[in-house]
Amino acid sequence: MEELKISSSIETVFSSGFGVEKLTVKEIREELPDTKLYIARGNPLNKEKFNVLLNVLLRFDDLDPSLKSLSWNIVKKACSNCSSILGRVLSTDNDIHAPRSTTQNPMENQKHLAMLKMSSYLIIHMSLRFHSDQKSQASLAVGKSKKKVTIAANPGFDIDTELRATMQFQLSIADLDINKLWSDRSTEDDFVNQMSDVCYTMLEDPVVVKNKNLRSIIIELLGSLIKRYGMSVSAALKVTQLLQNFDHLALPLAEALHVWTEQFKCRVVASEVLRELSNIPEKDLIRDTTNSKSISAFISEVAKLLPDCMRANMNRIMGRLEEESYTLRNTVMDCIKEVLLNCLSKEDLDNDAKDERDQLMEVLFEHANLDVNAFVRARAVNAITVLVKSSALPITQSPAVLILGKKLLYDRSNLVRKGTIQLLSEVIRWNPYAAKLPSQALTDGLQNEIERLKQLELQIKANENKTTEEEAATSSSEQPTSAADGDGGEGKARASEVAKEGAALIEEQTKEPNNDEDKTPMELEHGQDILTYLTMALAFVRSFHETSTVMCELLRSKFQSDVLEAIEFYKIAFIFQLDFAMEGVQVMLDQIWNEDTKIRDAVVEAYKELYFTRADSTRSMFPIDIVNNMIALITKLSDSNWDSFEHLVVELKKSGVIPNTVIQIMWNYLEKSNDDKDDVDRTTTIIQLLGMLATDKPEILHGKTSLLVKVGLKSLKVQQGEETRYNFKRATYTCVAFSKLAPSKLAAGVIKKQIRYENDNVIIQSILDLVIKGFSTMSTNYITFAWEAIGILFLLSKYPLKLSSEIFYSIKDVVATNGNNELLTRYFSISGHLALKTLIFVETDVLSEICKQRGNENHEKANKSTKKKKRKKSGGSKRKAQETEDEDESDEDEDENTQEQGIATDEAQHEFINNVLENEVVASDTMLGSISRILVKTCSSKVDPNDVSSVRVQQSAALALSKYMMVSTKYCDDHLRLFFTMLEQSPHEGIRANLLVAASDLCVRFPNQLEPWNSKIYNRLNDESDLVRVYALKVLTNLVLSDMIKVKGHVSEIARCIVDENEKLKLIAKRFFADLSKKGNSLYNVIPDIISRLSDMESNMPAADYRQIMKFLLDFISKDKQAESLIEKLCHRFKATRDREQWRNLAFCLTLLPCTEKGFRKLMESFNFYVDILGDDQIFESFKVVIAKAKKTVKNEVKTLVEEFEQKLNDKHETGASDDECANKAAAATQQITDPANMVTPRAKLGKRKIKGGISSEEVVEEADPSTPQHTRKTRQHNITTTTRTRGKKKVEFSSSEEEDEDPTEEENSKENEEEELDNERSGGEDSTDGCLNDTTPIRRKPTPKTRSCRTLLRA
């Protein structure tokens, strides 16, 4: 009997001599019912029935679905019969000599073997056919609808279920000892390969792999085959092939290796797979990036699942660190992390393991710091972070981690910075020292421990002097041993206590009595351990202090990830009580105004967690604790943070974090408050907090105004030595709280009635009395209070102008009676503030009241018109229709007249307001204008800088003068010269700073009057005072961003501040350009001007600073069109530049721009503009960087063009370098032979010398650029410009300074030669210009000067 030969081809089976014949479809249909009946009775599959089912496979495409399903059910039943029969006759025991009858009957074995082969062959190949049909139908459906749709090739046939049945049958067979069926007790290789091949085929289908149950059965079947039949090597090769060809198998195959290794103990497969992968050439991985990513994912997952196996094969993986593919280097980082985490983090490591651990840590540090790819650096940092979180980092590596973290905070990649901040956060969170790390407590504990150890040493010496030398030797040999044996645990426990409690326990330890002399050496050793611990802890804390400055900068970063991670870092630092944390928490508060919603939410969440949530849970604090925390927080904030804190409080109140109970507790406290020294500050802070909470809900003040007046509106006496001073701080915050009663800015369409009180109201009268009575008191904060009080009076009073008059005349009488510099200062300040508030009142309240009255009149007219139209419509006769039409036309004319009258009325209203402001507020015959002459005289007078009171008077007068100028246009015009004279020449930085702020307001108020003076404001950026420069930059940035002044022409001065030594200037300048970049093309429009002015030799800008500025600015150029335009402009500027350093700077700017395909073509088209300067090494290196960028961005079809252009650059660089070398040698020889003073050169002849491209050797023509101002240069003798007009276009030529002293006759001769050359160029002669220049812009030839640059001459 011939055996069935296993083959993937069905035709091969028919021709193998097994005794099967081909049947037609009709015959198959007739035979299938009998086959089904035969198999259903439990009979084993024989050759006859196999012949029918094999023909089903042969005619599979011709059969209808019902026959296919019937055949499949028959095959499944046959396989079930086969499994049952073999299960009865075969032993699963490994002993092949088991006493079985079947083992002694070869005929029975052969029959069972044939049954097994036929059953296995049918179910495998039929399931493959069904699976193939299902895939083809699914791919066809996807191609038609372009969506992922599953269409069953055979209705009622679930392919996943049937494939699972196939694999279950194969698995049941693999578990049996089928070796006994073969005569040589060895399973046939083709049979085993058939079983494994179907598994690998199924894994190639992503749909099958996604089925978790089916995937598990396939992996288990392969594991059983590998273990039982020794297929480790072939399995490793197959796994490698699958990885290289199918992207979806990276994680499933790693899971398979894990199962085979752990469950089936086949450890060889994983090692063989890693060996095969390590042998793949680097060029293959570079060529196929998808394959590289798949292999990387597989190796990383294997390292995670089998760390011990990966440790044994690390030498094979480490070689990938030297390769170009960053994905494989990332994989190595992951492998190192898993090996360190799972294999080398135990405490009982031997020396070899420790050395291995240190080597792997060194690799992580090296690639985190030095790898050229940011993704690899970030992956290495993340690996170290995981080790820290898992407590797998050796404590000896902590200093190295901190050093690495401080370096990487400056990394260029925000991804690396993000990982670094996370690393530092985890280092704090998992530090081995203590839960609280205040540096002061650690320092005190360290000092106390040092003193205690000194006392112990003295005590030991005293004890040694009391005994003999032998007894001393004996004690020294016994006592330390007993201390180490008996109290070693106590020493560790004490160190742990110190770690938890800090310096407090050390102080307690110093107080403990020590009467036992035998314990003194033990205590000394114990103290030395504590001393070492405290020293390390203090060094750990101080190392973090060095990172605080960088972290604060990252809090202001433009990258969302930097800000979010920095917030998380400071949150952890605050919880661990690090000293620098409060600084970061305050800086973090400014981010409450950030445009990014995530950042704002992160700030609110951070403050909620730190100040409004219990430390031991996520629940909110008790209301009294919230009050105490808010008071503690606001006392630590600076004045500049109060607006941000107020906004934060409003957000917390909206979210329900601050309950109403908190507000009630504050009111209760105010009712019980007194003027005790300890209670004053707390009461003042509570009033301030109530004012902040009333920002969003002013209702909380209703009904409590009398309490606020009673507690808040009073001056507090403060005794300073023998003097009694008054503090108006509480009264100031009370006025701020009252200001919340007035409606703030509301949404569009929302109208809220203004609350105004009579002048005899208790609030108004209390504020008025305090302003007048406090005027003559001694106080340092009266002026601040007076400003707030005047603002409240104008805001809440019905008749504020009467109150203004009362205040002015009252304080005027006081000054006239008992005037001194302090009262004069207050007098000027209040007068100026009265003028400003009068301006606001007239332009807002008075004007709105007038408009309101007019609106009521218009409303009445509209009602009358509507009623009239309704009456007209009520008439129904046809005769009245014509009358109605005539009346409608008259109504339209009336509406037009009404609109014209309305416009005229608006103009009259504004004219009325302007007339009031011009003539009735600060005019010389008005109340406030009566002191105008005194103000001008005070501002014009010279003041001794050492006379502080006189300086304050002038400062107050200058501020009052500026407020007066805000009111009236005429007053402003009359005093502008005095204003800017003080701004420039005043020796007091405070006055100049105040005037800068006033100048900003004046620019907004009267932009046309201030425009000629804008340059004076820009000049303050070069002020000698840092305070004035900061104010000037703030003013200018605000004005530019609000489009109140022109930015072009002076923006380069703001750009200089990016590299200023003052950190505030740096920060403000960077914020300005970041905001400017968000305003359309504003930044792009000014960048050419910045490049032009900063690269000018007269700017004296160091090259390093220039590059730092341009690196920052060009980083905002993200649009391709803008980058392409800038590339073209920069290339054209090479021809307009004469200095080598400028060429280098321009080339450096090119490296900072993204080089798209269009940008590269612009670079190629402009080649002739920079071809002559490629000999410079720095310039050439910059162009190499540009080419490298282009290679990464352009399409494959353009890469050939890029490579050709790169070769062209290389050739020109070599030629230019040799020319430069020859020029230098010739110049040296010329200087030795010829005396330049005696050398006379005919200028007409030299004028015709040409450099490459047809341009005269001493001539450089600047390409016209609208962003670059064009200047003409005049000669000293004849005052003639070198600007020429050709064909109606103006060309600017830059000459060397030596050309100014030229002989007139020589100049005339040279002009004749130039005209001849110009004619030649126009006629297309030999001396025509290079094709890179437009024919309509001929180049003018200039005469050669007497003194020339040797390099330029010899290059010609």
Side-chain angles (χ1 to χ4, degrees), residues 37 77 161 200 343 408 822 867 1106 1293:
L37 183 62
K77 180 60 179 175
T161 303
Y200 294 130
C343 304
L408 294 182
E822 180 61 28
K867 291 179 181 178
Y1106 177 87
E1293 301 168 348

Short mmCIF file of all heavy atoms in Angstrom, two decimals, residues 37 77 161 200 343 408 822 867 1106 1293:
data_model
loop_
_atom_site.label_atom_id
_atom_site.label_comp_id
_atom_site.label_asym_id
_atom_site.label_seq_id
_atom_site.Cartn_x
_atom_site.Cartn_y
_atom_site.Cartn_z
N LEU A 37 -22.57 10.04 5.28
CA LEU A 37 -23.19 8.97 6.06
C LEU A 37 -22.14 8.04 6.64
O LEU A 37 -22.24 7.62 7.81
CB LEU A 37 -24.18 8.20 5.16
CG LEU A 37 -24.96 7.09 5.85
CD1 LEU A 37 -25.85 7.65 6.95
CD2 LEU A 37 -25.82 6.35 4.81
N LYS A 77 -15.77 16.16 10.87
CA LYS A 77 -16.20 14.94 11.55
C LYS A 77 -15.16 13.84 11.39
O LYS A 77 -14.90 13.08 12.34
CB LYS A 77 -17.55 14.50 10.94
CG LYS A 77 -18.11 13.24 11.57
CD LYS A 77 -18.36 13.41 13.06
CE LYS A 77 -18.96 12.15 13.67
NZ LYS A 77 -19.10 12.25 15.14
N THR A 161 -13.96 30.74 13.64
CA THR A 161 -14.36 29.53 14.38
C THR A 161 -13.81 28.28 13.72
O THR A 161 -13.31 27.36 14.39
CB THR A 161 -15.89 29.47 14.45
OG1 THR A 161 -16.38 30.66 15.08
CG2 THR A 161 -16.34 28.26 15.27
N TYR A 200 2.30 29.22 10.45
CA TYR A 200 2.99 30.42 9.97
C TYR A 200 2.15 31.16 8.91
O TYR A 200 2.14 32.39 8.87
CB TYR A 200 4.35 30.04 9.39
CG TYR A 200 5.31 29.49 10.41
CD1 TYR A 200 6.00 28.29 10.18
CD2 TYR A 200 5.53 30.14 11.62
CE1 TYR A 200 6.88 27.77 11.10
CE2 TYR A 200 6.42 29.63 12.56
CZ TYR A 200 7.09 28.44 12.29
OH TYR A 200 7.97 27.94 13.22
N CYS A 343 17.06 42.42 36.01
CA CYS A 343 18.15 41.48 36.27
C CYS A 343 19.25 42.05 37.17
O CYS A 343 19.90 41.28 37.90
CB CYS A 343 18.79 41.02 34.95
SG CYS A 343 17.63 40.29 33.79
N LEU A 408 20.93 68.58 30.48
CA LEU A 408 19.90 68.33 29.46
C LEU A 408 18.75 69.32 29.54
O LEU A 408 17.91 69.36 28.63
CB LEU A 408 19.37 66.90 29.59
CG LEU A 408 20.38 65.80 29.28
CD1 LEU A 408 19.72 64.43 29.39
CD2 LEU A 408 20.96 65.97 27.88
N GLU A 822 7.05 117.13 51.27
CA GLU A 822 6.20 115.95 51.29
C GLU A 822 4.77 116.32 50.93
O GLU A 822 4.12 115.63 50.14
CB GLU A 822 6.25 115.31 52.69
CG GLU A 822 5.38 114.06 52.83
CD GLU A 822 5.80 112.94 51.89
OE1 GLU A 822 7.00 112.87 51.53
OE2 GLU A 822 4.92 112.14 51.49
N LYS A 867 -46.45 103.44 14.86
CA LYS A 867 -47.90 103.62 15.00
C LYS A 867 -48.50 104.26 13.76
O LYS A 867 -49.59 103.88 13.30
CB LYS A 867 -48.18 104.48 16.22
CG LYS A 867 -47.84 103.79 17.54
CD LYS A 867 -48.12 104.71 18.73
CE LYS A 867 -47.77 104.02 20.04
NZ LYS A 867 -47.98 104.92 21.20
N TYR A 1106 24.89 87.89 17.26
CA TYR A 1106 24.08 87.96 16.05
C TYR A 1106 23.46 86.59 15.74
O TYR A 1106 22.27 86.49 15.44
CB TYR A 1106 24.95 88.42 14.88
CG TYR A 1106 24.25 88.45 13.55
CD1 TYR A 1106 23.55 89.58 13.16
CD2 TYR A 1106 24.29 87.36 12.69
CE1 TYR A 1106 22.89 89.63 11.94
CE2 TYR A 1106 23.64 87.39 11.48
CZ TYR A 1106 22.95 88.52 11.09
OH TYR A 1106 22.30 88.55 9.89
N GLU A 1293 25.11 101.99 -4.77
CA GLU A 1293 26.42 101.34 -4.84
C GLU A 1293 27.19 101.68 -3.57
O GLU A 1293 27.25 102.84 -3.16
CB GLU A 1293 27.19 101.81 -6.07
CG GLU A 1293 26.46 101.51 -7.38
CD GLU A 1293 27.08 102.23 -8.54
OE1 GLU A 1293 27.92 103.12 -8.29
OE2 GLU A 1293 26.75 101.90 -9.67
#
